[in-house]
Amino acid sequence: MKVSQEFSILFHLRYDNNNSEGKATICVRITVTGFPRDGFSLGYKVDPSKFNKDAGAIIGKSAEAIEINNHLQHVKSELIRHYNLLKAIDTTVTPTMIKNAYNGINRDKRTLLEVCDFHNEKFQEKVDKDKRKGSSMKKWVTTKERISGFLSSVFKMKDIPLGRIEYSFAEDFFDYLTLTVGIQDNTAMKYVKNTKQLLKLAVQRKWLNANPIEGYACSYINPERDILNAQELSVLYHKEFSIRRLQETKDAYLFMALTGYAYKDALLLTRDNIVKFFDGEDWIVKNREKTWCRENVPLLPIAKEILKKYENHPYCIANNVLLPINSNQRFNGYLKEVADLCSIDKNLTTHTARHTFATTVTLANGVPLETVSAMLGHKSIRTTQIYAKIVASKVSQDMKELKTTFNLIIPNSLLSNVA
């Protein structure tokens, strides 16, 4: 029976010379164009005269004929089903692959997108139980979409068996994301990193012996981060706006720069988050929305002053929040106006406030890296070390200015004489 241009199934008889009853065994032959044929015995021994070679069926309506013919039909349907399943995930399907799939060999072998689905279903359960955030779920959904697009574009496959993934998969995936899709390097690396995590899960579940891209280094380029210096913070603090939305935006931004809270966390702060801590001082105690790590921050005097200013604000009372903060898009838009009116030539965003707290407010004033990491709610101090590098570059810049000033006070000629 020809199923498609390349795939066919044939039921035939295999004669056994040692069979004294003169019966033959029914077998199935699987043919795929371009590959060696393969097949297997179905176990039935029949009288050759009762077998219709053209129809691939037993002649007659006896109980035996009906039983065998029903089984032959089932075998044919199952072989076609396995062929279609294999074809959906791999352009190369051999007769042996179809036979093994029918016989249950390698039945437990998973594909990459199956691992994606398994992981995402588990993650969604955690989101439903408020164990993880929906925003984190979105990145995994997008990761699956990126992998699927890559497989379709580069491998011409809808899915790929885990056993066929090699080290070059990571390199090719990164190139596809950056060169074909046009994603920035750091973002592309995050998708590769997520894929490594999926394959690690497959190893843990014993669906894969080893992670083939474990040795692929997901390197990141630390971007230039705009931060405000002490003088610019002072300008912001003393600037008063007659337009209420700009004044509220400025105050909210300044509060974030003095506490290190990200936009989403500052947006959701309530009176319940302010507590008298062990030292008798006012602290904000809250888990980060992004990582759910605890972020305990003592309130500096100016931050307390800002909260006091808005404690009876209608919006804050109605929504049980500490600050009247707009949507992220509007907030960033208003910040551009604030920067222009304050003559600050930097791209102020909700992120720059957090960066400013980590650098200008804390690290540059001698607060230990470990303390800053705890206040920022970082899972690893390595994340906080990014800001330490920024501070180091600021020290270098300040020292260059000092050298110029110092040379004006003490000429180079005198310094050379001393040497």
Side-chain angles (χ1 to χ4, degrees):
M1 170 193 170
K2 198 170 186 63
V3 178
S4 68
Q5 285 295 106
E6 64 170 12
F7 173 46
S8 63
I9 299 169
L10 174 68
F11 293 107
H12 65 97
L13 297 180
R14 185 184 69 202
Y15 294 89
D16 186 353
N17 294 329
N18 296 325
N19 191 333
S20 59
E21 298 178 358
K23 292 186 175 182
T25 303
I26 301 178
C27 298
V28 61
R29 179 185 299 154
I30 307 167
T31 302
V32 177
T33 304
F35 300 97
R37 295 182 301 185
D38 204 342
F40 53 92
S41 167
L42 300 183
Y44 288 105
K45 294 183 182 297
V46 297
D47 183 345
S49 64
K50 295 183 179 179
F51 184 76
N52 186 327
K53 295 180 179 180
D54 295 330
I58 302 298
I59 301 170
K61 295 185 178 181
S62 65
E64 180 187 37
I66 293 173
E67 176 191 340
I68 294 176
N69 286 337
N70 284 342
H71 183 69
L72 296 182
Q73 186 61 41
H74 173 74
V75 170
K76 181 174 69 174
S77 299
E78 283 296 288
L79 289 174
I80 294 173
R81 184 176 72 85
H82 284 295
Y83 169 78
N84 290 332
L85 287 173
L86 291 168
K87 196 67 177 176
I89 64 174
D90 198 335
T91 54
T92 301
V93 178
T94 68
T96 302
M97 290 169 63
I98 300 170
K99 180 185 76 171
N100 288 343
Y102 173 85
N103 290 321
I105 300 174
N106 295 330
R107 182 173 290 173
D108 292 333
K109 296 296 184 183
R110 301 292 182 108
T111 65
L112 182 53
L113 292 185
E114 285 177 347
V115 177
C116 285
D117 290 336
F118 176 84
H119 172 276
N120 291 358
E121 287 173 8
K122 292 292 184 182
F123 201 97
Q124 184 61 53
E125 291 176 8
K126 295 176 183 177
V127 172
D128 294 340
K129 298 293 184 181
D130 292 328
K131 300 288 186 181
R132 298 302 295 267
K133 291 297 175 182
S135 56
S136 297
M137 180 66 206
K138 290 179 182 178
K139 79 173 184 179
W140 288 107
V141 172
T142 306
T143 296
K144 180 186 175 183
E145 292 173 353
R146 296 300 185 194
I147 293 173
S148 181
F150 167 62
L151 293 174
S152 177
S153 175
V154 177
F155 285 81
K156 310 302 180 187
M157 298 164 57
K158 294 182 179 180
D159 202 349
I160 185 170
L162 293 176
R164 289 193 59 186
I165 298 176
E166 299 177 351
Y167 179 86
S168 58
F169 185 94
E171 296 176 332
D172 295 340
F173 189 27
F174 178 77
D175 288 342
Y176 163 78
L177 292 172
T178 55
L179 302 179
T180 304
V181 183
I183 294 175
Q184 294 297 317
D185 287 12
N186 282 358
T187 304
M189 275 298 175
K190 290 180 181 178
Y191 290 126
V192 177
K193 184 179 180 180
N194 290 346
T195 304
K196 286 180 67 174
Q197 192 169 333
L198 290 170
L199 292 174
K200 180 181 178 180
L201 171 64
V203 173
Q204 292 170 340
R205 291 275 169 174
K206 300 190 183 304
W207 299 330
L208 193 61
N209 292 330
N211 188 341
I213 65 172
E214 177 62 32
Y216 185 82
C218 292
S219 57
Y220 298 93
I221 300 172
N222 291 328
E224 291 293 327
R225 302 171 187 266
D226 277 330
I227 58 174
L228 299 186
N229 56 38
Q231 182 180 355
E232 290 165 334
L233 281 176
S234 178
V235 170
L236 268 184
Y237 174 67
H238 290 98
K239 181 70 174 180
E240 294 294 327
F241 295 97
S242 58
I243 302 175
R244 188 180 70 178
R245 62 179 174 82
L246 295 183
Q247 183 66 34
E248 292 174 353
T249 298
K250 183 212 75 169
D251 287 337
Y253 180 86
L254 195 59
F255 177 84
M256 295 179 201
L258 296 172
T259 59
Y261 277 97
Y263 166 82
K264 186 71 172 181
D265 297 301
L267 178 72
L268 300 175
L269 287 176
T270 70
R271 297 298 305 177
D272 293 336
N273 294 124
I274 301 179
V275 299
K276 286 286 185 184
F277 229 34
F278 66 93
D279 56 1
E281 297 291 335
D282 289 329
W283 288 53
I284 292 184
V285 177
K286 186 182 185 299
N287 290 336
R288 285 195 68 195
E289 291 296 313
K290 181 178 180 180
T291 62
W292 212 240
C293 293
R294 182 57 62 90
E295 195 171 6
N296 297 340
V297 181
L299 282 173
L300 295 172
I302 296 177
K304 293 172 69 173
E305 176 187 316
I306 293 171
L307 293 184
K308 180 71 175 176
K309 180 177 180 179
Y310 291 101
E311 64 181 0
N312 293 317
H313 190 286
Y315 177 88
C316 297
I317 294 175
N319 295 280
N320 188 30
V321 292
L322 297 182
L323 295 167
I325 300 177
N326 296 281
S327 67
N328 198 7
Q329 186 176 3
R330 286 188 178 182
F331 189 79
N332 282 325
Y334 295 160
L335 277 177
K336 296 185 186 301
E337 295 183 59
V338 170
D340 290 340
L341 293 171
C342 291
S343 300
I344 296 176
D345 188 22
K346 291 178 180 175
N347 181 29
L348 298 191
T349 67
T350 54
H351 295 296
T352 59
R354 185 168 167 84
H355 302 330
T356 298
F357 174 78
T359 53
T360 305
V361 176
T362 55
L363 289 173
N365 287 299
V367 178
L369 190 66
E370 295 80 3
T371 303
V372 176
S373 183
M375 288 192 291
L376 290 174
H378 286 163
K379 287 184 175 180
S380 169
I381 199 169
R382 291 174 58 188
T383 307
T384 321
Q385 286 172 341
I386 295 172
Y387 300 111
K389 293 177 183 178
I390 295 174
V391 175
S393 65
K394 182 179 183 303
V395 170
S396 175
Q397 180 182 346
D398 292 344
M399 287 302 292
K400 287 178 181 178
E401 295 175 1
L402 175 61
K403 288 177 184 177
T404 303
T405 306
F406 198 67
N407 286 340
L408 292 176
I409 299 173
I410 304 178
N412 284 332
S413 58
L414 292 180
L415 289 176
S416 59
N417 289 335
V418 172

